Amino acid sequence: DIQMTQSPSSLSASEGDRVTITCRTSQNIRGFLNWYHQKPGKVPKLLIYATSKLQSGVPSRFSGSGSATDFTLTISSLQPEDFGTYYCQQSYSIPRTFGQGTKVEIK
Amino acid sequence: EVQLVESGGGLVQPGGSLRLSCAASGFIVSTNYMTWIRQAPGKGLEWVSLIYSNGSTYYADSVKGRFTISRDNSKNTLYLQMNGLRAEDTAVYYCARERAVAEIAYWGQGALVTVSS
């Protein structure tokens, strides 16, 4: 199984800050890396797929990058509605696996 | 519009069984890769099971031999039969559809399963 290591596990940042979340996989997943955002009590929402493709309707302040085993989600200017937990997921192989999540708090 | 509506959640005793249903609209279940993902209270997302369009099925080790994923093409509905339930199976179960590179763009609202005596 492919192991996912997401960091940090939590962060607190101010509105307008640039925020970076990283995800490392235990083997090369050839770009099959997706990012989701979940607010408390809500359904997860797809933000980025295939490393860097922005899901329709997602604000352009979100971007993804990376390759092989190292991936990054960047929020260029943090907004109040961006609080919640962010998860990476590999869709290269079965079992699909998720990172443990990064909880983002707005200062 | 793609919609996924789960039903069948509830309280069950350890060792009991439950079947979750996921009624789909706006697309055909049998021509897509469909998956179940769960989230224990206060925890992260955990992949549970997947069914390919060709009918091949896959399971997380934690549920293998106890859970069965299936679909009814005539009802355009996905199922998760859960047997031998344990306390650690307590979670919100999401039905979801994978898209082209297996990203999950479509999620149901979730069904809460509580395993407790």
Side-chain angles (χ1 to χ4, degrees):
Chain A
D1 298 3
I2 295 175
Q3 309 305 314
M4 312 288 287
T5 304
Q6 202 174 324
S7 62
S9 55
S10 65
L11 66 90
S12 180
S14 299
E15 183 176 347
D17 283 354
R18 183 180 184 87
V19 168
T20 299
I21 299 169
T22 64
C23 184
R24 177 163 288 176
T25 60
S26 60
Q27 59 186 270
N28 187 341
I29 60 169
R30 308 200 186 288
F32 284 77
L33 193 283
N34 312 307
W35 292 96
Y36 303 89
H37 176 214
Q38 185 180 35
K39 292 183 177 179
K42 301 295 187 183
V43 178
K45 173 186 168 185
L46 177 67
L47 296 176
I48 302 284
Y49 62 99
T51 299
S52 60
K53 298 183 189 302
L54 193 68
Q55 167 67 356
S56 176
V58 173
S60 59
R61 64 180 180 272
F62 292 93
S63 64
S65 63
S67 63
T69 61
D70 291 285
F71 301 89
T72 299
L73 172 70
T74 300
I75 309 173
S76 60
S77 177
L78 192 68
Q79 298 302 301
E81 61 267 29
D82 298 338
F83 75 94
T85 303
Y86 292 80
Y87 296 94
C88 60
Q89 180 222 16
Q90 65 82 17
S91 53
Y92 176 68
S93 67
I94 295 168
R96 311 287 193 226
T97 41
F98 289 90
Q100 76 276 21
T102 295
K103 188 173 183 178
V104 173
E105 173 195 276
I106 311 294
K107 282 182 187 174
Chain B
E1 181 193 3
V2 171
Q3 277 199 312
L4 296 164
V5 179
E6 295 105 336
S7 59
L11 174 64
V12 61
Q13 291 189 337
S17 298
L18 212 56
R19 187 178 80 159
L20 300 181
S21 300
C22 173
S25 58
F27 72 99
I28 298 172
V29 165
S30 63
T31 62
N32 283 271
Y33 291 6
M34 299 297 296
T35 187
W36 289 96
I37 291 161
R38 69 184 180 183
Q39 187 169 35
K43 302 297 184 183
L45 300 171
E46 180 188 12
W47 179 85
V48 173
S49 183
L50 173 65
I51 184 167
Y52 277 176
S53 51
N54 68 3
S56 298
T57 58
Y58 304 90
Y59 300 93
D61 286 345
S62 58
V63 307
K64 202 172 292 182
R66 300 187 298 123
F67 290 13
T68 303
I69 190 171
S70 64
R71 65 192 181 206
D72 184 329
N73 297 344
S74 66
K75 295 182 179 178
N76 208 36
T77 297
L78 180 73
Y79 300 101
L80 186 67
Q81 177 68 43
M82 303 182 292
N83 299 331
L85 282 162
R86 307 166 180 166
E88 55 265 36
D89 295 319
T90 294
V92 173
Y93 285 74
Y94 294 103
C95 159
R97 171 189 156 191
E98 288 194 346
R99 216 169 50 180
V101 289
E103 76 276 22
I104 302 171
Y106 309 104
W107 299 72
Q109 84 284 359
L112 177 61
V113 172
T114 302
V115 184
S116 174
S117 54

mmCIF file of all heavy atoms in Angstrom, chain B residues 9 21 31 71 77 90-91 94 96:
data_model
loop_
_atom_site.group_PDB
_atom_site.id
_atom_site.type_symbol
_atom_site.label_atom_id
_atom_site.label_comp_id
_atom_site.label_asym_id
_atom_site.label_seq_id
_atom_site.Cartn_x
_atom_site.Cartn_y
_atom_site.Cartn_z
ATOM 1 N N GLY B 9 -28.208 3.886 6.995
ATOM 2 C CA GLY B 9 -27.381 3.986 8.191
ATOM 3 C C GLY B 9 -28.211 3.829 9.454
ATOM 4 O O GLY B 9 -29.439 3.807 9.405
ATOM 5 N N SER B 21 -27.333 1.912 1.031
ATOM 6 C CA SER B 21 -27.697 2.111 -0.364
ATOM 7 C C SER B 21 -27.276 3.508 -0.798
ATOM 8 O O SER B 21 -27.242 4.437 0.018
ATOM 9 C CB SER B 21 -29.212 1.964 -0.551
ATOM 10 O OG SER B 21 -29.639 0.683 -0.162
ATOM 11 N N THR B 31 -21.517 2.254 -15.494
ATOM 12 C CA THR B 31 -20.460 2.645 -16.431
ATOM 13 C C THR B 31 -19.379 3.495 -15.752
ATOM 14 O O THR B 31 -18.509 4.039 -16.437
ATOM 15 C CB THR B 31 -21.043 3.419 -17.628
ATOM 16 O OG1 THR B 31 -21.652 4.630 -17.155
ATOM 17 C CG2 THR B 31 -22.068 2.588 -18.372
ATOM 18 N N ARG B 71 -23.887 -3.439 -6.984
ATOM 19 C CA ARG B 71 -24.753 -2.433 -7.618
ATOM 20 C C ARG B 71 -25.948 -3.127 -8.257
ATOM 21 O O ARG B 71 -25.885 -4.323 -8.596
ATOM 22 C CB ARG B 71 -23.962 -1.646 -8.667
ATOM 23 C CG ARG B 71 -23.489 -2.475 -9.839
ATOM 24 C CD ARG B 71 -22.474 -1.763 -10.707
ATOM 25 N NE ARG B 71 -22.095 -2.621 -11.825
ATOM 26 C CZ ARG B 71 -20.937 -2.542 -12.461
ATOM 27 N NH1 ARG B 71 -20.013 -1.636 -12.089
ATOM 28 N NH2 ARG B 71 -20.679 -3.357 -13.473
ATOM 29 N N THR B 77 -28.290 1.997 -8.512
ATOM 30 C CA THR B 77 -27.989 2.130 -7.084
ATOM 31 C C THR B 77 -26.764 1.298 -6.713
ATOM 32 O O THR B 77 -26.597 0.182 -7.192
ATOM 33 C CB THR B 77 -29.200 1.689 -6.239
ATOM 34 O OG1 THR B 77 -30.297 2.567 -6.516
ATOM 35 C CG2 THR B 77 -28.894 1.733 -4.748
ATOM 36 N N THR B 90 -17.692 2.252 13.241
ATOM 37 C CA THR B 90 -18.524 3.435 13.449
ATOM 38 C C THR B 90 -17.948 4.610 12.670
ATOM 39 O O THR B 90 -16.782 4.979 12.832
ATOM 40 C CB THR B 90 -18.593 3.782 14.949
ATOM 41 O OG1 THR B 90 -19.283 2.747 15.633
ATOM 42 C CG2 THR B 90 -19.302 5.115 15.169
ATOM 43 N N ALA B 91 -18.771 5.178 11.794
ATOM 44 C CA ALA B 91 -18.287 6.240 10.916
ATOM 45 C C ALA B 91 -19.433 6.787 10.078
ATOM 46 O O ALA B 91 -20.507 6.181 9.998
ATOM 47 C CB ALA B 91 -17.199 5.706 9.975
ATOM 48 N N TYR B 94 -19.519 7.575 3.070
ATOM 49 C CA TYR B 94 -19.815 8.357 1.880
ATOM 50 C C TYR B 94 -19.772 7.454 0.647
ATOM 51 O O TYR B 94 -18.806 6.698 0.458
ATOM 52 C CB TYR B 94 -18.787 9.469 1.682
ATOM 53 C CG TYR B 94 -18.782 10.549 2.738
ATOM 54 C CD1 TYR B 94 -17.805 10.575 3.727
ATOM 55 C CD2 TYR B 94 -19.731 11.566 2.723
ATOM 56 C CE1 TYR B 94 -17.765 11.579 4.681
ATOM 57 C CE2 TYR B 94 -19.708 12.573 3.678
ATOM 58 C CZ TYR B 94 -18.725 12.567 4.658
ATOM 59 O OH TYR B 94 -18.706 13.561 5.600
ATOM 60 N N ALA B 96 -19.382 7.625 -3.394
ATOM 61 C CA ALA B 96 -18.748 8.606 -4.262
ATOM 62 C C ALA B 96 -18.464 7.998 -5.635
ATOM 63 O O ALA B 96 -18.411 6.783 -5.791
ATOM 64 C CB ALA B 96 -17.446 9.109 -3.628
#
